[in-house]
PDB file of all heavy atoms in Angstrom:
ATOM      1  N   ASP E 278      65.727  39.199-128.596  1.00 95.00           N
ATOM      2  CA  ASP E 278      64.480  38.529-128.865  1.00 95.00           C
ATOM      3  C   ASP E 278      63.472  38.894-127.742  1.00 95.00           C
ATOM      4  O   ASP E 278      63.928  38.614-126.484  1.00 95.00           O
ATOM      5  CB  ASP E 278      64.593  36.918-128.924  1.00 95.00           C
ATOM      6  CG  ASP E 278      63.275  36.212-129.157  1.00 95.00           C
ATOM      7  OD1 ASP E 278      62.438  36.410-128.408  1.00 95.00           O
ATOM      8  OD2 ASP E 278      63.384  35.462-130.213  1.00 95.00           O
ATOM      9  N   PRO E 279      62.328  39.360-127.879  1.00 95.00           N
ATOM     10  CA  PRO E 279      61.388  39.843-126.692  1.00 95.00           C
ATOM     11  C   PRO E 279      61.021  38.682-125.921  1.00 95.00           C
ATOM     12  O   PRO E 279      60.933  38.877-124.653  1.00 95.00           O
ATOM     13  CB  PRO E 279      60.244  40.394-127.493  1.00 95.00           C
ATOM     14  CG  PRO E 279      60.716  40.728-128.842  1.00 95.00           C
ATOM     15  CD  PRO E 279      61.762  39.828-129.196  1.00 95.00           C
ATOM     16  N   VAL E 280      60.842  37.408-126.447  1.00 95.00           N
ATOM     17  CA  VAL E 280      60.572  36.425-125.523  1.00 95.00           C
ATOM     18  C   VAL E 280      61.699  36.065-124.653  1.00 95.00           C
ATOM     19  O   VAL E 280      61.568  35.728-123.529  1.00 95.00           O
ATOM     20  CB  VAL E 280      60.124  35.161-126.345  1.00 95.00           C
ATOM     21  CG1 VAL E 280      59.877  33.910-125.615  1.00 95.00           C
ATOM     22  CG2 VAL E 280      58.775  35.379-127.216  1.00 95.00           C
ATOM     23  N   HIS E 281      62.942  35.955-125.254  1.00 96.00           N
ATOM     24  CA  HIS E 281      64.121  35.586-124.484  1.00 96.00           C
ATOM     25  C   HIS E 281      64.328  36.771-123.445  1.00 96.00           C
ATOM     26  O   HIS E 281      64.817  36.425-122.298  1.00 96.00           O
ATOM     27  CB  HIS E 281      65.291  35.553-125.463  1.00 96.00           C
ATOM     28  CG  HIS E 281      65.268  34.398-126.386  1.00 96.00           C
ATOM     29  ND1 HIS E 281      66.258  34.033-127.180  1.00 96.00           N
ATOM     30  CD2 HIS E 281      64.228  33.554-126.658  1.00 96.00           C
ATOM     31  CE1 HIS E 281      66.014  33.002-127.833  1.00 96.00           C
ATOM     32  NE2 HIS E 281      64.779  32.620-127.581  1.00 96.00           N
ATOM     33  N   VAL E 282      64.074  37.930-123.734  1.00 96.00           N
ATOM     34  CA  VAL E 282      64.209  38.985-122.791  1.00 96.00           C
ATOM     35  C   VAL E 282      63.306  38.831-121.558  1.00 96.00           C
ATOM     36  O   VAL E 282      63.845  38.956-120.397  1.00 96.00           O
ATOM     37  CB  VAL E 282      64.043  40.472-123.360  1.00 96.00           C
ATOM     38  CG1 VAL E 282      63.972  41.606-122.337  1.00 96.00           C
ATOM     39  CG2 VAL E 282      65.128  40.716-124.471  1.00 96.00           C
ATOM     40  N   ALA E 283      62.201  38.510-121.824  1.00 97.00           N
ATOM     41  CA  ALA E 283      61.107  38.193-120.741  1.00 97.00           C
ATOM     42  C   ALA E 283      61.492  36.929-119.934  1.00 97.00           C
ATOM     43  O   ALA E 283      61.535  36.972-118.718  1.00 97.00           O
ATOM     44  CB  ALA E 283      59.768  37.912-121.417  1.00 97.00           C
ATOM     45  N   LEU E 284      62.209  35.958-120.534  1.00 97.00           N
ATOM     46  CA  LEU E 284      62.722  34.786-119.886  1.00 97.00           C
ATOM     47  C   LEU E 284      63.867  35.205-119.052  1.00 97.00           C
ATOM     48  O   LEU E 284      64.044  34.704-117.957  1.00 97.00           O
ATOM     49  CB  LEU E 284      62.967  33.633-120.848  1.00 97.00           C
ATOM     50  CG  LEU E 284      61.827  32.991-121.532  1.00 97.00           C
ATOM     51  CD1 LEU E 284      62.274  32.113-122.559  1.00 97.00           C
ATOM     52  CD2 LEU E 284      60.979  32.180-120.488  1.00 97.00           C
ATOM     53  N   ARG E 285      64.904  36.045-119.652  1.00 96.00           N
ATOM     54  CA  ARG E 285      65.929  36.498-118.904  1.00 96.00           C
ATOM     55  C   ARG E 285      65.569  37.198-117.485  1.00 96.00           C
ATOM     56  O   ARG E 285      66.313  37.046-116.484  1.00 96.00           O
ATOM     57  CB  ARG E 285      66.779  37.496-119.629  1.00 96.00           C
ATOM     58  CG  ARG E 285      67.600  36.843-120.706  1.00 96.00           C
ATOM     59  CD  ARG E 285      68.270  37.877-121.688  1.00 96.00           C
ATOM     60  NE  ARG E 285      69.369  37.424-122.434  1.00 96.00           N
ATOM     61  CZ  ARG E 285      70.456  37.524-122.134  1.00 96.00           C
ATOM     62  NH1 ARG E 285      70.975  38.165-121.044  1.00 96.00           N
ATOM     63  NH2 ARG E 285      71.521  36.932-122.901  1.00 96.00           N
ATOM     64  N   ARG E 286      64.400  37.808-117.467  1.00 95.00           N
ATOM     65  CA  ARG E 286      63.977  38.519-116.341  1.00 95.00           C
ATOM     66  C   ARG E 286      63.556  37.495-115.331  1.00 95.00           C
ATOM     67  O   ARG E 286      63.460  37.839-114.080  1.00 95.00           O
ATOM     68  CB  ARG E 286      62.826  39.491-116.609  1.00 95.00           C
ATOM     69  CG  ARG E 286      63.268  40.740-117.302  1.00 95.00           C
ATOM     70  CD  ARG E 286      62.196  41.759-117.387  1.00 95.00           C
ATOM     71  NE  ARG E 286      60.925  41.448-118.047  1.00 95.00           N
ATOM     72  CZ  ARG E 286      60.700  41.801-119.355  1.00 95.00           C
ATOM     73  NH1 ARG E 286      61.694  42.521-120.088  1.00 95.00           N
ATOM     74  NH2 ARG E 286      59.727  41.410-120.043  1.00 95.00           N
ATOM     75  N   GLN E 287      63.356  36.362-115.658  1.00 96.00           N
ATOM     76  CA  GLN E 287      62.944  35.272-114.603  1.00 96.00           C
ATOM     77  C   GLN E 287      64.246  34.683-113.964  1.00 96.00           C
ATOM     78  O   GLN E 287      64.174  34.035-112.906  1.00 96.00           O
ATOM     79  CB  GLN E 287      62.145  34.070-115.292  1.00 96.00           C
ATOM     80  CG  GLN E 287      60.943  34.619-115.924  1.00 96.00           C
ATOM     81  CD  GLN E 287      60.156  33.490-116.663  1.00 96.00           C
ATOM     82  OE1 GLN E 287      60.645  32.307-116.724  1.00 96.00           O
ATOM     83  NE2 GLN E 287      59.164  33.762-117.363  1.00 96.00           N
ATOM     84  N   VAL E 288      65.375  34.779-114.528  1.00 94.00           N
ATOM     85  CA  VAL E 288      66.549  34.133-114.055  1.00 94.00           C
ATOM     86  C   VAL E 288      66.881  34.450-112.631  1.00 94.00           C
ATOM     87  O   VAL E 288      67.308  33.500-111.858  1.00 94.00           O
ATOM     88  CB  VAL E 288      67.748  34.305-115.001  1.00 94.00           C
ATOM     89  CG1 VAL E 288      68.991  33.784-114.511  1.00 94.00           C
ATOM     90  CG2 VAL E 288      67.419  33.579-116.379  1.00 94.00           C
ATOM     91  N   PRO E 289      66.705  35.639-112.191  1.00 93.00           N
ATOM     92  CA  PRO E 289      67.116  35.947-110.779  1.00 93.00           C
ATOM     93  C   PRO E 289      66.194  35.254-109.816  1.00 93.00           C
ATOM     94  O   PRO E 289      66.572  35.165-108.541  1.00 93.00           O
ATOM     95  CB  PRO E 289      66.925  37.538-110.735  1.00 93.00           C
ATOM     96  CG  PRO E 289      66.997  38.043-112.047  1.00 93.00           C
ATOM     97  CD  PRO E 289      66.428  36.936-112.933  1.00 93.00           C
ATOM     98  N   HIS E 290      65.080  34.701-110.200  1.00 94.00           N
ATOM     99  CA  HIS E 290      64.239  33.934-109.310  1.00 94.00           C
ATOM    100  C   HIS E 290      64.257  32.516-109.487  1.00 94.00           C
ATOM    101  O   HIS E 290      63.395  31.726-109.020  1.00 94.00           O
ATOM    102  CB  HIS E 290      62.758  34.486-109.556  1.00 94.00           C
ATOM    103  CG  HIS E 290      62.692  36.031-109.533  1.00 94.00           C
ATOM    104  ND1 HIS E 290      62.805  36.730-108.373  1.00 94.00           N
ATOM    105  CD2 HIS E 290      62.506  36.844-110.611  1.00 94.00           C
ATOM    106  CE1 HIS E 290      62.624  38.048-108.750  1.00 94.00           C
ATOM    107  NE2 HIS E 290      62.520  38.090-109.946  1.00 94.00           N
ATOM    108  N   LEU E 291      65.230  31.999-110.257  1.00 94.00           N
ATOM    109  CA  LEU E 291      65.355  30.640-110.729  1.00 94.00           C
ATOM    110  C   LEU E 291      66.329  29.852-109.835  1.00 94.00           C
ATOM    111  O   LEU E 291      67.383  30.414-109.380  1.00 94.00           O
ATOM    112  CB  LEU E 291      65.884  30.742-112.148  1.00 94.00           C
ATOM    113  CG  LEU E 291      65.756  29.373-112.960  1.00 94.00           C
ATOM    114  CD1 LEU E 291      64.270  29.196-113.274  1.00 94.00           C
ATOM    115  CD2 LEU E 291      66.427  29.718-114.308  1.00 94.00           C
ATOM    116  N   ASN E 292      66.002  28.576-109.606  1.00 94.00           N
ATOM    117  CA  ASN E 292      66.899  27.724-108.844  1.00 94.00           C
ATOM    118  C   ASN E 292      66.894  26.402-109.586  1.00 94.00           C
ATOM    119  O   ASN E 292      65.857  26.115-110.296  1.00 94.00           O
ATOM    120  CB  ASN E 292      66.472  27.385-107.398  1.00 94.00           C
ATOM    121  CG  ASN E 292      66.648  28.509-106.607  1.00 94.00           C
ATOM    122  OD1 ASN E 292      67.791  29.152-106.341  1.00 94.00           O
ATOM    123  ND2 ASN E 292      65.521  29.166-105.987  1.00 94.00           N
ATOM    124  N   VAL E 293      67.975  25.598-109.467  1.00 95.00           N
ATOM    125  CA  VAL E 293      68.032  24.377-109.990  1.00 95.00           C
ATOM    126  C   VAL E 293      67.370  23.335-109.014  1.00 95.00           C
ATOM    127  O   VAL E 293      67.871  23.220-108.023  1.00 95.00           O
ATOM    128  CB  VAL E 293      69.398  23.929-110.408  1.00 95.00           C
ATOM    129  CG1 VAL E 293      69.477  22.324-110.810  1.00 95.00           C
ATOM    130  CG2 VAL E 293      70.034  24.784-111.593  1.00 95.00           C
ATOM    131  N   ARG E 294      66.408  22.756-109.543  1.00 94.00           N
ATOM    132  CA  ARG E 294      65.497  21.650-108.714  1.00 94.00           C
ATOM    133  C   ARG E 294      66.280  20.333-108.720  1.00 94.00           C
ATOM    134  O   ARG E 294      66.284  19.664-107.723  1.00 94.00           O
ATOM    135  CB  ARG E 294      64.126  21.593-109.216  1.00 94.00           C
ATOM    136  CG  ARG E 294      63.356  20.606-108.500  1.00 94.00           C
ATOM    137  CD  ARG E 294      61.858  20.454-108.902  1.00 94.00           C
ATOM    138  NE  ARG E 294      61.681  20.602-110.512  1.00 94.00           N
ATOM    139  CZ  ARG E 294      61.652  19.605-111.314  1.00 94.00           C
ATOM    140  NH1 ARG E 294      61.960  18.451-110.848  1.00 94.00           N
ATOM    141  NH2 ARG E 294      61.494  19.829-112.490  1.00 94.00           N
ATOM    142  N   ALA E 295      66.752  19.962-110.036  1.00 93.00           N
ATOM    143  CA  ALA E 295      67.386  18.642-110.191  1.00 93.00           C
ATOM    144  C   ALA E 295      68.218  18.713-111.325  1.00 93.00           C
ATOM    145  O   ALA E 295      68.111  19.610-112.246  1.00 93.00           O
ATOM    146  CB  ALA E 295      66.340  17.564-110.322  1.00 93.00           C
ATOM    147  N   ARG E 296      69.199  17.808-111.508  1.00 92.00           N
ATOM    148  CA  ARG E 296      70.029  17.680-112.731  1.00 92.00           C
ATOM    149  C   ARG E 296      69.969  16.313-113.189  1.00 92.00           C
ATOM    150  O   ARG E 296      69.740  15.303-112.298  1.00 92.00           O
ATOM    151  CB  ARG E 296      71.561  17.940-112.320  1.00 92.00           C
ATOM    152  CG  ARG E 296      71.813  19.292-111.694  1.00 92.00           C
ATOM    153  CD  ARG E 296      72.091  20.390-112.483  1.00 92.00           C
ATOM    154  NE  ARG E 296      73.095  20.560-113.542  1.00 92.00           N
ATOM    155  CZ  ARG E 296      74.138  21.323-113.538  1.00 92.00           C
ATOM    156  NH1 ARG E 296      74.479  22.046-112.534  1.00 92.00           N
ATOM    157  NH2 ARG E 296      74.836  21.275-114.703  1.00 92.00           N
ATOM    158  N   CYS E 297      70.124  16.074-114.449  1.00 89.00           N
ATOM    159  CA  CYS E 297      70.029  14.733-115.018  1.00 89.00           C
ATOM    160  C   CYS E 297      71.264  14.002-114.442  1.00 89.00           C
ATOM    161  O   CYS E 297      72.372  14.484-114.195  1.00 89.00           O
ATOM    162  CB  CYS E 297      70.283  14.814-116.476  1.00 89.00           C
ATOM    163  SG  CYS E 297      70.138  13.231-117.424  1.00 89.00           S
ATOM    164  N   THR E 298      71.086  12.697-114.128  1.00 89.00           N
ATOM    165  CA  THR E 298      72.122  11.804-113.519  1.00 89.00           C
ATOM    166  C   THR E 298      73.056  11.062-114.522  1.00 89.00           C
ATOM    167  O   THR E 298      74.021  10.574-114.115  1.00 89.00           O
ATOM    168  CB  THR E 298      71.513  10.686-112.671  1.00 89.00           C
ATOM    169  OG1 THR E 298      70.689   9.952-113.487  1.00 89.00           O
ATOM    170  CG2 THR E 298      70.648  11.306-111.476  1.00 89.00           C
ATOM    171  N   CYS E 299      72.774  11.235-115.781  1.00 86.00           N
ATOM    172  CA  CYS E 299      73.646  10.677-116.801  1.00 86.00           C
ATOM    173  C   CYS E 299      74.959  11.544-117.020  1.00 86.00           C
ATOM    174  O   CYS E 299      75.830  11.026-117.643  1.00 86.00           O
ATOM    175  CB  CYS E 299      72.995  10.624-118.158  1.00 86.00           C
ATOM    176  SG  CYS E 299      72.885  11.940-119.150  1.00 86.00           S
ATOM    177  N   GLY E 300      75.056  12.735-116.466  1.00 81.00           N
ATOM    178  CA  GLY E 300      76.257  13.523-116.685  1.00 81.00           C
ATOM    179  C   GLY E 300      76.097  14.558-117.830  1.00 81.00           C
ATOM    180  O   GLY E 300      77.144  15.417-117.941  1.00 81.00           O
ATOM    181  N   CYS E 301      75.018  14.544-118.527  1.00 84.00           N
ATOM    182  CA  CYS E 301      75.015  15.618-119.609  1.00 84.00           C
ATOM    183  C   CYS E 301      74.827  17.029-119.225  1.00 84.00           C
ATOM    184  O   CYS E 301      75.241  17.892-119.924  1.00 84.00           O
ATOM    185  CB  CYS E 301      73.757  15.224-120.445  1.00 84.00           C
ATOM    186  SG  CYS E 301      72.121  15.537-119.747  1.00 84.00           S
ATOM    187  N   GLY E 302      74.287  17.230-117.989  1.00 85.00           N
ATOM    188  CA  GLY E 302      74.205  18.584-117.501  1.00 85.00           C
ATOM    189  C   GLY E 302      72.871  19.172-117.598  1.00 85.00           C
ATOM    190  O   GLY E 302      72.538  20.332-117.186  1.00 85.00           O
ATOM    191  N   THR E 303      71.901  18.493-118.086  1.00 92.00           N
ATOM    192  CA  THR E 303      70.525  18.901-118.237  1.00 92.00           C
ATOM    193  C   THR E 303      69.980  19.350-116.818  1.00 92.00           C
ATOM    194  O   THR E 303      70.302  18.667-115.876  1.00 92.00           O
ATOM    195  CB  THR E 303      69.547  17.790-118.756  1.00 92.00           C
ATOM    196  OG1 THR E 303      69.959  17.590-120.104  1.00 92.00           O
ATOM    197  CG2 THR E 303      68.170  18.228-118.667  1.00 92.00           C
ATOM    198  N   ALA E 304      69.358  20.517-116.666  1.00 95.00           N
ATOM    199  CA  ALA E 304      68.937  21.087-115.408  1.00 95.00           C
ATOM    200  C   ALA E 304      67.462  21.350-115.500  1.00 95.00           C
ATOM    201  O   ALA E 304      66.888  21.887-116.458  1.00 95.00           O
ATOM    202  CB  ALA E 304      69.790  22.332-115.082  1.00 95.00           C
ATOM    203  N   TYR E 305      66.735  20.961-114.369  1.00 96.00           N
ATOM    204  CA  TYR E 305      65.419  21.222-114.236  1.00 96.00           C
ATOM    205  C   TYR E 305      65.244  22.389-113.142  1.00 96.00           C
ATOM    206  O   TYR E 305      65.862  22.226-112.084  1.00 96.00           O
ATOM    207  CB  TYR E 305      64.640  19.875-113.665  1.00 96.00           C
ATOM    208  CG  TYR E 305      64.934  18.783-114.699  1.00 96.00           C
ATOM    209  CD1 TYR E 305      65.954  17.874-114.560  1.00 96.00           C
ATOM    210  CD2 TYR E 305      64.004  18.583-115.781  1.00 96.00           C
ATOM    211  CE1 TYR E 305      66.113  16.825-115.523  1.00 96.00           C
ATOM    212  CE2 TYR E 305      64.396  17.672-116.802  1.00 96.00           C
ATOM    213  CZ  TYR E 305      65.405  16.778-116.447  1.00 96.00           C
ATOM    214  OH  TYR E 305      65.598  15.717-117.396  1.00 96.00           O
ATOM    215  N   PHE E 306      64.337  23.338-113.581  1.00 96.00           N
ATOM    216  CA  PHE E 306      64.285  24.561-112.704  1.00 96.00           C
ATOM    217  C   PHE E 306      63.035  24.490-111.753  1.00 96.00           C
ATOM    218  O   PHE E 306      62.161  23.896-111.980  1.00 96.00           O
ATOM    219  CB  PHE E 306      64.105  25.756-113.681  1.00 96.00           C
ATOM    220  CG  PHE E 306      65.426  25.845-114.587  1.00 96.00           C
ATOM    221  CD1 PHE E 306      65.194  26.205-115.950  1.00 96.00           C
ATOM    222  CD2 PHE E 306      66.667  25.725-114.130  1.00 96.00           C
ATOM    223  CE1 PHE E 306      66.192  26.312-116.809  1.00 96.00           C
ATOM    224  CE2 PHE E 306      67.794  25.815-115.066  1.00 96.00           C
ATOM    225  CZ  PHE E 306      67.496  26.020-116.300  1.00 96.00           C
ATOM    226  N   GLU E 307      63.231  25.390-110.791  1.00 95.00           N
ATOM    227  CA  GLU E 307      62.156  25.712-109.837  1.00 95.00           C
ATOM    228  C   GLU E 307      62.164  27.309-109.929  1.00 95.00           C
ATOM    229  O   GLU E 307      63.268  27.917-109.815  1.00 95.00           O
ATOM    230  CB  GLU E 307      62.549  25.131-108.412  1.00 95.00           C
ATOM    231  CG  GLU E 307      61.530  25.490-107.355  1.00 95.00           C
ATOM    232  CD  GLU E 307      61.889  24.849-106.086  1.00 95.00           C
ATOM    233  OE1 GLU E 307      62.719  25.493-105.405  1.00 95.00           O
ATOM    234  OE2 GLU E 307      61.485  23.766-105.779  1.00 95.00           O
ATOM    235  N   LEU E 308      60.997  27.764-110.038  1.00 93.00           N
ATOM    236  CA  LEU E 308      60.820  29.315-110.200  1.00 93.00           C
ATOM    237  C   LEU E 308      59.668  29.706-109.371  1.00 93.00           C
ATOM    238  O   LEU E 308      58.533  29.196-109.464  1.00 93.00           O
ATOM    239  CB  LEU E 308      60.628  29.568-111.727  1.00 93.00           C
ATOM    240  CG  LEU E 308      60.341  30.926-111.987  1.00 93.00           C
ATOM    241  CD1 LEU E 308      61.509  31.855-111.860  1.00 93.00           C
ATOM    242  CD2 LEU E 308      59.876  31.165-113.499  1.00 93.00           C
ATOM    243  N   ASP E 309      59.965  30.792-108.639  1.00 88.00           N
ATOM    244  CA  ASP E 309      58.913  31.364-107.848  1.00 88.00           C
ATOM    245  C   ASP E 309      57.974  32.245-108.734  1.00 88.00           C
ATOM    246  O   ASP E 309      58.446  33.467-109.067  1.00 88.00           O
ATOM    247  CB  ASP E 309      59.496  32.231-106.661  1.00 88.00           C
ATOM    248  CG  ASP E 309      58.421  32.901-105.878  1.00 88.00           C
ATOM    249  OD1 ASP E 309      57.211  32.735-106.091  1.00 88.00           O
ATOM    250  OD2 ASP E 309      58.836  33.388-104.777  1.00 88.00           O
ATOM    251  N   THR E 310      56.886  31.684-109.160  1.00 90.00           N
ATOM    252  CA  THR E 310      56.128  32.478-110.202  1.00 90.00           C
ATOM    253  C   THR E 310      55.454  33.743-109.634  1.00 90.00           C
ATOM    254  O   THR E 310      55.027  34.649-110.469  1.00 90.00           O
ATOM    255  CB  THR E 310      55.017  31.574-110.931  1.00 90.00           C
ATOM    256  OG1 THR E 310      54.238  31.047-109.952  1.00 90.00           O
ATOM    257  CG2 THR E 310      55.742  30.382-111.621  1.00 90.00           C
ATOM    258  N   SER E 311      55.355  33.875-108.355  1.00 92.00           N
ATOM    259  CA  SER E 311      54.918  35.085-107.778  1.00 92.00           C
ATOM    260  C   SER E 311      55.817  36.256-107.929  1.00 92.00           C
ATOM    261  O   SER E 311      55.383  37.472-107.746  1.00 92.00           O
ATOM    262  CB  SER E 311      54.504  34.807-106.294  1.00 92.00           C
ATOM    263  OG  SER E 311      55.742  34.669-105.531  1.00 92.00           O
ATOM    264  N   GLU E 312      57.065  35.961-108.188  1.00 90.00           N
ATOM    265  CA  GLU E 312      58.209  36.936-108.392  1.00 90.00           C
ATOM    266  C   GLU E 312      58.521  37.346-109.814  1.00 90.00           C
ATOM    267  O   GLU E 312      59.276  38.092-109.992  1.00 90.00           O
ATOM    268  CB  GLU E 312      59.434  36.467-107.690  1.00 90.00           C
ATOM    269  CG  GLU E 312      59.383  36.320-106.140  1.00 90.00           C
ATOM    270  CD  GLU E 312      59.164  37.647-105.448  1.00 90.00           C
ATOM    271  OE1 GLU E 312      59.696  38.683-105.919  1.00 90.00           O
ATOM    272  OE2 GLU E 312      58.441  37.659-104.303  1.00 90.00           O
ATOM    273  N   ALA E 313      57.833  36.485-110.751  1.00 92.00           N
ATOM    274  CA  ALA E 313      58.321  36.660-112.101  1.00 92.00           C
ATOM    275  C   ALA E 313      57.182  36.697-113.016  1.00 92.00           C
ATOM    276  O   ALA E 313      56.078  35.927-112.765  1.00 92.00           O
ATOM    277  CB  ALA E 313      59.266  35.593-112.550  1.00 92.00           C
ATOM    278  N   GLU E 314      57.142  37.491-114.101  1.00 94.00           N
ATOM    279  CA  GLU E 314      56.007  37.579-115.060  1.00 94.00           C
ATOM    280  C   GLU E 314      56.326  36.490-116.194  1.00 94.00           C
ATOM    281  O   GLU E 314      57.429  36.170-116.520  1.00 94.00           O
ATOM    282  CB  GLU E 314      56.043  38.847-115.852  1.00 94.00           C
ATOM    283  CG  GLU E 314      55.669  40.053-114.871  1.00 94.00           C
ATOM    284  CD  GLU E 314      54.221  40.065-114.472  1.00 94.00           C
ATOM    285  OE1 GLU E 314      53.379  39.726-115.286  1.00 94.00           O
ATOM    286  OE2 GLU E 314      53.917  40.365-113.273  1.00 94.00           O
ATOM    287  N   PRO E 315      55.257  35.894-116.706  1.00 95.00           N
ATOM    288  CA  PRO E 315      55.472  34.871-117.680  1.00 95.00           C
ATOM    289  C   PRO E 315      55.865  35.559-119.045  1.00 95.00           C
ATOM    290  O   PRO E 315      55.519  36.661-119.381  1.00 95.00           O
ATOM    291  CB  PRO E 315      54.059  34.208-117.877  1.00 95.00           C
ATOM    292  CG  PRO E 315      53.073  35.190-117.354  1.00 95.00           C
ATOM    293  CD  PRO E 315      53.814  35.923-116.202  1.00 95.00           C
ATOM    294  N   ALA E 316      56.672  34.784-119.741  1.00 95.00           N
ATOM    295  CA  ALA E 316      57.073  35.279-121.104  1.00 95.00           C
ATOM    296  C   ALA E 316      55.972  34.980-122.043  1.00 95.00           C
ATOM    297  O   ALA E 316      55.168  33.920-121.868  1.00 95.00           O
ATOM    298  CB  ALA E 316      58.270  34.566-121.566  1.00 95.00           C
ATOM    299  N   PRO E 317      55.827  35.718-123.212  1.00 94.00           N
ATOM    300  CA  PRO E 317      54.775  35.447-124.168  1.00 94.00           C
ATOM    301  C   PRO E 317      55.079  34.203-125.066  1.00 94.00           C
ATOM    302  O   PRO E 317      55.261  34.354-126.261  1.00 94.00           O
ATOM    303  CB  PRO E 317      54.629  36.627-125.002  1.00 94.00           C
ATOM    304  CG  PRO E 317      56.047  37.261-124.812  1.00 94.00           C
ATOM    305  CD  PRO E 317      56.527  36.876-123.504  1.00 94.00           C
ATOM    306  N   THR E 318      55.168  32.924-124.522  1.00 91.00           N
ATOM    307  CA  THR E 318      55.482  31.842-125.273  1.00 91.00           C
ATOM    308  C   THR E 318      54.170  31.065-125.566  1.00 91.00           C
ATOM    309  O   THR E 318      54.256  30.066-126.282  1.00 91.00           O
ATOM    310  CB  THR E 318      56.319  30.876-124.363  1.00 91.00           C
ATOM    311  OG1 THR E 318      55.603  30.489-123.191  1.00 91.00           O
ATOM    312  CG2 THR E 318      57.651  31.493-124.031  1.00 91.00           C
ATOM    313  N   GLY E 319      53.093  31.437-124.962  1.00 84.00           N
ATOM    314  CA  GLY E 319      51.734  30.614-125.282  1.00 84.00           C
ATOM    315  C   GLY E 319      51.682  29.526-124.123  1.00 84.00           C
ATOM    316  O   GLY E 319      52.561  29.291-123.311  1.00 84.00           O
ATOM    317  N   PRO E 320      50.580  28.817-124.229  1.00 88.00           N
ATOM    318  CA  PRO E 320      50.319  27.805-123.351  1.00 88.00           C
ATOM    319  C   PRO E 320      51.173  26.455-123.543  1.00 88.00           C
ATOM    320  O   PRO E 320      51.519  26.263-124.643  1.00 88.00           O
ATOM    321  CB  PRO E 320      48.707  27.481-123.405  1.00 88.00           C
ATOM    322  CG  PRO E 320      48.508  27.933-124.880  1.00 88.00           C
ATOM    323  CD  PRO E 320      49.466  28.994-125.186  1.00 88.00           C
ATOM    324  N   GLY E 321      51.177  25.649-122.528  1.00 91.00           N
ATOM    325  CA  GLY E 321      51.902  24.395-122.573  1.00 91.00           C
ATOM    326  C   GLY E 321      53.224  24.564-122.540  1.00 91.00           C
ATOM    327  O   GLY E 321      53.922  25.605-122.138  1.00 91.00           O
TER     328      GLY E 321
END
């Protein structure tokens, strides 16, 4: 998927900022946007 490929290119610049405390494993990311191009997902 072209959108997924663009998102995959962001992964090397990604860090986990926080994790959900309930134990589910949900992860919130921090990304250096100066190092990565946005994927064509649209606004919002």
Side-chain angles (χ1 to χ4, degrees):
D278 182 305
V280 171
H281 293 186
V282 170
L284 291 169
R285 283 171 164 261
R286 286 194 296 263
Q287 296 175 10
V288 171
H290 310 287
L291 198 65
N292 290 302
V293 172
R294 175 178 45 86
R296 305 270 314 238
C297 183
T298 58
C299 81
C301 70
T303 293
Y305 302 94
F306 301 133
E307 184 175 83
L308 176 67
D309 182 353
T310 57
S311 70
E312 296 290 327
E314 295 289 323
T318 61

